[in-house]
Amino acid sequence: MNPENEFRSGLEEIAGHYEKIITLLGENTQRDGLLKTPMRVAKAMQILTRGYTQDPHKVLTDALFEEKYNQMVIVKDIDFFSMCEHHMLPFYGKVHVAYIPNGYITGLSKIARVVDIFSHRLQVQERLTQEIKDCIEDTLHPMGVMVVIEAKHMCMQMRGVEKQNAITTTSDFSGAFNQAKTREEFMNLLRGESKRI
């Protein structure tokens, strides 16, 4: 889906619901500033949930290459935005992914695309972490996968406890990363400063 000009079915119905919501919140949907708001929000929500229409496994297999490399591959600092399914407010941060190939590698950008697809669904951070790991594991069959996500949640910043600087970190791992030494190597590489190219 091209977010600029292609939208899924149900757009008008979603806009209608938002018009009712805005009215129930006490606003006048007929004033100039709000006339087009229900449709704008409907389009935004379809863009923010476009991951439901995309196949992350296919993204990986479309760029699958046979390669004998069997050391750690790390893609770190992948920016993401997602929508918390509990309050429909954003959470955002960075995803770090490592895998150890077992005969096959994928295009590096495809790892970021997998993150993008799963994050563009209604989510909780814990499940997002696991889904990214499971997708890479099930598709590439590597010797191990590890995913770490660091995120800030607007539902904690704007409402509830209102803690603006709280960061939530989650991780999931499999295979070779079950060994503490391998996990430690990954975490040390994450903490190390990136070399300037």
Side-chain angles (χ1 to χ4, degrees):
M1 179 176 76
N2 181 344
E4 296 301 320
N5 54 26
E6 292 180 25
F7 294 95
R8 308 192 297 273
S9 62
L11 193 64
E12 294 284 348
E13 189 175 357
I14 294 170
H17 287 297
Y18 274 111
E19 185 171 0
K20 291 177 184 175
I21 290 168
I22 292 168
T23 301
L24 289 169
L25 291 174
E27 262 290 1
N28 174 15
T29 58
Q30 299 309 303
R31 70 176 176 85
D32 285 347
L34 289 175
L35 277 174
K36 296 181 180 179
T37 297
M39 182 55 71
R40 288 191 191 106
V41 177
K43 288 179 177 179
M45 290 305 296
Q46 283 206 353
I47 292 168
L48 294 171
T49 59
R50 67 178 181 253
Y52 290 119
T53 66
Q54 300 168 327
D55 183 353
H57 298 277
K58 187 176 186 304
V59 165
L60 292 177
T61 57
D62 281 351
L64 196 62
F65 308 102
E66 191 170 352
E67 189 61 55
K68 292 182 179 179
Y69 184 81
N70 61 0
Q71 299 300 312
M72 199 179 298
V73 177
I74 299 174
V75 184
K76 67 178 184 176
D77 295 331
I78 303 168
D79 292 316
F80 82 95
F81 298 88
S82 192
M83 294 289 285
C84 167
E85 66 183 36
H86 296 152
H87 300 101
M88 298 283 282
L89 289 171
F91 65 100
Y92 61 95
K94 294 187 181 295
V95 179
H96 315 290
V97 178
Y99 76 98
I100 300 173
N102 188 19
Y104 291 92
I105 61 171
T106 190
L108 297 176
S109 67
K110 306 307 179 186
I111 300 294
R113 287 280 296 118
V114 167
V115 171
D116 186 64
I117 289 170
F118 283 118
S119 64
H120 280 77
R121 301 176 181 185
L122 299 181
Q123 280 289 6
V124 294
Q125 184 174 334
E126 295 87 345
R127 185 171 67 243
L128 177 60
T129 308
Q130 186 174 25
E131 286 180 337
I132 295 166
K133 187 268 295 180
D134 288 347
C135 179
I136 295 168
E137 184 174 37
D138 295 344
T139 308
L140 300 182
H141 306 291
M143 287 187 273
V145 184
M146 185 165 178
V147 176
V148 175
I149 298 181
E150 301 168 299
K152 290 189 172 184
H153 293 249
M154 296 303 285
C155 58
M156 285 183 66
Q157 293 178 306
M158 296 174 66
R159 55 159 299 284
V161 294
E162 296 185 10
K163 300 301 180 189
Q164 280 71 38
N165 297 311
I167 296 174
T168 302
T169 302
T170 51
S171 67
D172 196 7
F173 50 86
S174 66
F177 289 94
N178 284 310
Q179 298 176 24
K181 184 179 179 181
T182 309
R183 291 198 305 277
E184 185 179 350
E185 179 185 350
F186 175 40
M187 297 308 292
N188 286 339
L189 288 167
L190 286 187
R191 285 189 287 266
E193 292 185 7
S194 299
K195 293 180 181 178
R196 291 184 180 179
I197 296 175

